[in-house]
Each structure stands twice: as C-alpha cells, then as structure tokens.
Amino acid sequence: MSNKPIGLLDSGVGGLTVLKAVKNRLPDESFVYIGDTKRCPYGNRTKDEIIRFTLEMVQFLMKKNVKMIVIACNTATAHALEIVRKKVNIPVIGVVKPGSVAASHKTETNNIGVLATVSTVDSKFYVQSLLKQDEKIKVKSLACPEFVDIVEKNAYESKEAKELVANKLADFKEKEMDTVILGCTHFPLLTSYIQETLGENITLIDSGSVTSLKVEAVLNEKKLAGNKNHQNTINILTTGPEETFREIVEKWLETKAFAINQVTLERLEDTNEKH
Amino acid sequence: MSNKPIGLLDSGVGGLTVLKAVKNRLPDESFVYIGDTKRCPYGNRTKDEIIRFTLEMVQFLMKKNVKMIVIACNTATAHALEIVRKKVNIPVIGVVKPGSVAASHKTETNNIGVLATVSTVDSKFYVQSLLKQDEKIKVKSLACPEFVDIVEKNAYESKEAKELVANKLADFKEKEMDTVILGCTHFPLLTSYIQETLGENITLIDSGSVTSLKVEAVLNEKKLAGNKNHQNTINILTTGPEETFREIVEKWLETKAFAINQVTLERLEDTNEKH
C-alpha cells in the first residue's frame, strides 16, 4: 500500500488522455502530471533531445516522490523507455506495448494501421512491438504531426481539425485493415473525426485506456495501490503557459479538482555519452 | 457567486495559520497560497524590499485568477496593504486590522502586548491600528525575529523552541496586560509555549482566526462566495524547497489533499518611485 502519487509525463497535453483513463480506473490514486508544452511537439525532435527532455521530466517526477512513472507519450516511450528504466528504481510503464498487445488481440485480419508522430514512425518501435506479438501482422504507419499541433492549441473540436483529419487520412485505410492504433497520446482527442474518416468498421486502439489496465496490474503486483480513504490530489504542471493547458484539462478530465502550475525543468547535461 | 480561488500570500509558512483558519471556516472555497520561503524572513528586510516582494506575489496570484487576496503576513500588511489595494481591482484583506479589532474588544485593562517582527514593530502599524480602535489603549511591543526562524525550519515543537520562547518572553508581561496579539502569522505555531510562558490569564489573539471572519464577511458582501458543490482545491506554492514546506503543510493543515510545487516569481523593477 502506498499513498504516494503516480507520475505521468508527456510532451504536452496529449498524456492527459492517459491520465484520464488511469484516473477513471483508479480513483483513489493521487497524480502528478508534467507536460513539457514549452518544447512540444517532441515528434519532430532528435532522438537525443527526446531522451534528454524525458530524463529531465523523470528527474522532476522523482523529486515529487512518485511511486511509479507512466511515460504517457509514444515518442518518449519509443526512444527513452529502457533508458528511464535503468535510471530509476520504481516501476516505469510506457504506452507502446499496451497498445500493441491490445491491437494484436483485436485484429482479425492481421492488418493494423498506426498513426503517430514522425519520430515514433521513424523509430519503428510499433512495428517491432507488434511483430513481437505476432510476426504475421502487417503494419501500415502514417506520421501525422499536424494532429499534435491542433490539439496543443486547443482547436481539436474545430472545423479546421475535422477537415485536417479528413484530408490526412483520406487514402490511409487499406482494404484488409481492421484496427488502427492511435500511436500518439494527443490523437484520442480527435477520435470522433478519425473514426468518421476511417469508418465504423475500424477499431481504434487508444493507448490511454489499455495503459490504465497495465498501471492497475503493476500497482497490484507490487502492492503499491493507494488507500481507499486517502485524500487524493491531481497536481498538473506545465513548462508552458497555464491558461490553454488549464482549459484543456478542465474539458478533458471533466473536473476542476486539480491544481495547475507552470514550472521550470532543471536542465540535464547532454546524455548521448551515457547510453 | 464565484468558484475562483482565494489567494493568500506570505513570506513563508506563517500564513498557513491563516489558510488553516479560513479553510476551516470556508470549506467550499479553493485556495492558492504562495510562500516566499526563498527570501524569508521579511521581518529583517527594508520597507522597499518588502513592498516589491509583496507586489511580486500579488502579480503571481493575479495570474492565478484569484477573486480576493489575503495578505497573510503582518510585515507585508504593515508596509504594503494600501499599495496593493491601489494596484488590483479585487478585495484585499490584511491581518493587522482584524487582530487589532479583536484585541481591543477583548481587553478589559486596555493594556495590550504585541509580539511581531522587527519590521512590523518598527512600522508602528499595530500601535496606530489599536489607537484607532480606542485611544486609551496602552501597547507594549516586542520584536521576536527568532520565532520566525524556528518555525520556518520546522522546529516549532522542539525543546529548543520551548526554551527560546520562555527566555524571550520572561520579562515581557506587565501587571496590567491581559491581551497579547500574535502579530506575526508564524507565531500561532508556538501558541502553547507562548501561553505557558505568559500564563493562562493572558488572552492570545491569533490574527488568522479573526481574519477568517473578515474574509467570510467580504465574500458575502461582494457576493463572491464559492458554490457548495464546487470541487475545491488547495494549491500551495513556495519559492524555496518543497520538502520542509510540505511537512509543515501536512502537519498544520491536517490534510494531504493539497498540491505543492516550487515556483519562481517574476521580478518586478524596484518600486520606490511609484509610491
């Protein structure tokens, strides 16, 4: 039993989709969420930058005395998950494997689509992860960096967003494809437009909700679950301006019971020599 | 009706005694508290510094969209209350007048003691405020800067604290004195030692609890009280390290339902020319 908070990190607001899923599944837990809005999007950053930024957020969360870290960002998971695991002595969960496992269970045609950032697509981490589940799986990936931008600027319910998704995904679906992984935590905020464009027969895999199952399993396994009578808190931090972030949190988490503050991350030296 | 938070500011942890009193009286409100631990104590600072630091915290709180500001620090109230009131268009409450009013009502001998910081004693703000209530009142003041230090380092329940209070106040009480104002928000954390030293016949006035009545009255008057079904939050910010601050908050507020974060205040230019 532990009443310490669960830490989540993301490049910006996208990881809130994971926070929402975990919070709904585990209402007795406290959370510290750090979104690096100032440097978002990570999807167009170099691998070394992504690793350093992620480690800076990990260092920040460790000072908050978290009992577990969820890398609620596909790009950061793809490049930094194993490095983070070596650095800290608490459980670290990424969003790629839970999504891959769920998709491989769901597909009947072994034909899976992945929508992600440039960097996640380039890393081939989803392809590897899916092939580990079943080597017969065929994967078609598409980098959709524009989706991140429109979500970060809180325009994910706009007509502009609807058209952007429709244009971008017009030719994405192939005949055999029956399952599509939303391989960036920003994309669940565009779910309705994505579903509309790809059609009702496509199953969308939102890594947030499958990751929440993994978080619950690890808490139980490690005996780290929070006490039911615990007074839980949601502590949201951003490296960028608070206002847009606050609006998205309120709308997306459907609660006002959170604190939000702007913080500065301590800079780490370049980490390239260490891995 | 307004569900915006109430903002409180203090040089460090002292104002938590005011937060506790206001929170207990007004459980439906949300709070943002900023303690400038990094530059604490204010009691030994110049007047210009105190004004600038206070205005920096006011600016910080205004960005948090607060509906009211409580200057939960006697030193800041003494030097900056009127200046702050001219700067912002929301209600601003200090801790000196509520304490003076309460003490003047309580005393039967018109003989009141004031324990405060060097700067508050020097400002003569309590003497003026008490004489406004009743010009027959005699005031004896004592600067106790050591009390602030021992509270800030979370040693306010130690043997060292007990001895410090006993020595400092050994000769303070005069025959006619029946009421003593704890004229620094840090001092209520030393209440039991102060009461023990001065004797049970002395009534101690804790500005926190009297200020909470004032806060309630102003919220009602301005129709700014929070909705009963509101999901309230306590957002604690400090300019210094989080750990000691967190321990004092947990112990003093008797809750773990708060978020705490370290923040940096934006520097204002020297304000001496403006007042």
Side-chain angles (χ1 to χ4, degrees), chain A residues 181-192:
Chain A
I181 296 175
L182 302 178
C184 171
T185 53
H186 286 74
F187 297 177
L189 289 111
L190 297 165
T191 295
S192 59

Side-chain angles (χ1 to χ4, degrees), chain A residues 192-205:
Chain A
S192 59
Y193 299 147
I194 296 173
Q195 190 82 66
E196 207 177 304
T197 307
L198 297 179
E200 291 302 321
N201 294 331
I202 290 281
T203 303
L204 297 183
I205 302 291

Side-chain angles (χ1 to χ4, degrees), chain A residues 148-188:
Chain A
V148 177
D149 297 334
I150 207 150
V151 169
E152 282 291 328
K153 70 180 194 193
N154 198 14
Y156 59 88
E157 293 174 326
S158 65
K159 198 182 157 203
E160 186 194 351
K162 185 177 173 158
E163 289 174 359
L164 175 71
V165 171
N167 290 331
K168 184 83 190 182
L169 302 184
D171 304 321
F172 179 65
K173 189 179 168 298
E174 295 190 339
K175 204 182 164 197
E176 291 290 298
M177 192 186 289
D178 67 347
T179 305
V180 169
I181 296 175
L182 302 178
C184 171
T185 53
H186 286 74
F187 297 177

Side-chain angles (χ1 to χ4, degrees), chain A residues 60 63-64 230-235 237 242-243 246 254-264, chain B residues 60 63-64 230-235 237 242-243 246 254-264:
Chain A
F60 179 86
K63 285 190 181 163
K64 295 285 181 190
H230 177 56
Q231 298 164 308
N232 55 335
T233 54
I234 302 177
N235 188 3
L237 294 318
E242 272 172 48
E243 214 36 49
R246 177 195 301 277
E254 292 167 341
T255 177
K256 292 191 175 190
F258 61 89
I260 181 163
N261 295 289
Q262 186 174 7
V263 290
T264 311
Chain B
F60 179 86
K63 286 191 182 163
K64 295 286 180 189
H230 177 57
Q231 298 164 309
N232 56 335
T233 53
I234 302 176
N235 187 3
L237 294 319
E242 272 172 50
E243 213 37 47
R246 176 194 301 277
E254 291 167 341
T255 177
K256 292 194 175 188
F258 62 89
I260 181 164
N261 295 290
Q262 187 173 5
V263 290
T264 310

